[in-house]
């Protein structure tokens, strides 16, 4: 192999290592954030599912795709624009257990509302519903 070919092989290997390190660092950082939890997103209750990490914010729910290097969230939904329409508890052990939640969500940039399915652990669902219910309400509304 010539010197130029070795340089290309070594450069490609270094690039792959750099991408792997960046991805691992991003994934670890997202998982350590306060208010973050593992959350799968799908358009239907049976998937296909996109793996990711969601995080509660003061006014929005942020969702980052797991298989991405982008520094910004893939989805941002306003807290007041999330409505839980239905939930279904999945029986099973380990990764097969969880809760599938059908929600109507409004994107942060005031797009049209749409339905999504969120799959999360039972503990994450308890936190999710508490976060939604703790939304500041207007004076004079009845809860």
């Amino acid at each position: 192999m010539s010197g130029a070919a070795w340089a290309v092989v070594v450069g490609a290997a270094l690039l792959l290592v750099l991408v792997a390190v960046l991805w691992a660092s991003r994934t670890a950082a997202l998982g350590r954030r306060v208010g973050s939890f593992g959350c799968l997103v799908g358009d239907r209750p049976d998937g296909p599912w996109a793996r990711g990490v969601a995080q509660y914010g003061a006014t929005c729910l942020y969702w980052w795709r797991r298989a991405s290097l982008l520094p910004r969230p893939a989805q941002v939904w306003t807290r007041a624009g999330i409505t839980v329409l239905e939930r279904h508890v999945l029986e099973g052990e380990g990764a097969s257990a969880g809760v599938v939640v059908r929600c109507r969500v409004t994107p942060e940039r005031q797009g049209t509302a749409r339905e999504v399915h969120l799959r999360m652990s039972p503990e994450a669902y308890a936190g999710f519903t508490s976060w939604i219910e703790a939304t500041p309400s207007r004076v004079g509304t009845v809860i």
Side-chain angles (χ1 to χ4, degrees), residues 13-124:
L14 287 174
L15 182 63
L16 285 174
V17 168
L18 177 65
V19 168
V21 168
L22 286 174
W23 180 80
S25 173
R26 176 185 177 275
T27 302
L30 288 174
R32 284 191 306 259
R33 288 184 174 186
V34 173
S36 67
F37 60 97
C39 180
L40 289 80
V41 174
D43 291 329
R44 297 183 314 222
D46 56 350
W49 298 103
R51 291 187 177 274
V53 175
Q55 179 188 12
Y56 307 119
T59 60
C60 296
L61 181 69
Y62 304 95
W63 183 79
W64 285 268
R65 191 177 296 278
R66 183 167 183 195
S68 175
L69 289 175
L70 293 177
R72 64 182 180 275
Q75 301 285 333
V76 179
W77 302 304
T78 61
R79 184 178 191 175
I82 299 174
T83 305
V84 175
L85 302 174
E86 176 183 26
R87 74 175 169 90
H88 176 70
V89 177
L90 302 173
E91 301 297 331
E93 295 287 325
S96 63
V99 179
V100 175
V101 184
R102 184 170 64 102
C103 298
R104 181 175 299 114
V105 295
T106 303
E108 179 186 37
R109 299 199 193 300
Q110 299 304 323
T112 58
R114 67 183 185 99
E115 285 188 14
V116 297
H117 293 82
L118 306 175
R119 184 173 174 180
M120 60 190 78
S121 70
E123 297 81 11

